[in-house]
Amino acid sequence: QVQLQESGPGLVKPSQTLSLTCTVSGGSISSGSHYWSWIRQPAGKGLEWIGRIYTTGSTYYNPSLKSRVSISVDTSKNQFFLKLTSMTAADTAVYYCARGGSSHPVDPWGQGTLVTVSS
Amino acid sequence: SYELTQPPSVSVSPGQTASITCSGNNLNKKYTYWYHQKPGQSPVLVIYDDNKRPSGIPERFSGANSGNTATLTISGIQAMDEGDYYCQVWDSSIVIFGGGTKVTVL
């Protein structure tokens, strides 16, 4: 059974770049026709899809974040990554990684990691 | 951009039926997915492709999609079903989530 785990800094200063890693276990990130996504959720608010990547490296981003987002993958390590530049307080949220991102449900999800933007 | 609208909250007594709606333009032309999120936990898929249940999801969860509205129905609701429910679709290669509905079991 595939499981995902996010890792990265819990605190980021304003204007800095957030870097998160999602480690996939219980299966190969390259197996099946799966996409891999990042999603975030500010405290007390709803879910916002950030973007997705396929194991070939093909990406698609939410237009609202496209100018600041980069998602990459390392199939040898069974990991994919999120970079979000020019962080502000509005980017404070729980960040989730998940399998899915194109014509399939988003499932399963990682446990999420809280990222706070503060000086 | 495409939008999905959900009621902010639904309250229901234990054992009764809860219906959560998700509205969007020509929603029946798209597959709708439903997720359940308990406080402090990650969302869990409960319905996919409008009306299919993943393995392990109780039969009391069902879904339908007609016209501009998709509906998640929880029959014989239990206290463990409390939490937030989100609908989701694909539109122009983008994942779109509804705003979420908080379900309270009184």
Side-chain angles (χ1 to χ4, degrees), chain B residues 15-49:
Chain B
Q16 298 303 304
T17 296
S19 295
I20 305 163
T21 58
C22 175
S23 299
N25 189 39
N26 292 322
L27 186 54
N28 65 328
K29 305 295 186 187
K30 307 176 186 296
Y31 277 135
T32 300
Y33 307 90
W34 290 92
Y35 303 87
H36 177 206
Q37 185 179 35
K38 296 181 181 181
Q41 297 186 19
S42 308
V44 172
L45 179 72
V46 295
I47 291 290
Y48 68 98
D49 292 356

Side-chain angles (χ1 to χ4, degrees), chain B residues 60-83:
Chain B
R60 63 180 180 272
F61 288 87
S62 62
N65 189 357
S66 179
N68 294 323
T69 303
T71 304
L72 172 69
T73 301
I74 311 171
S75 303
I77 199 166
Q78 301 180 11
M80 67 175 66
D81 300 328
E82 277 197 335

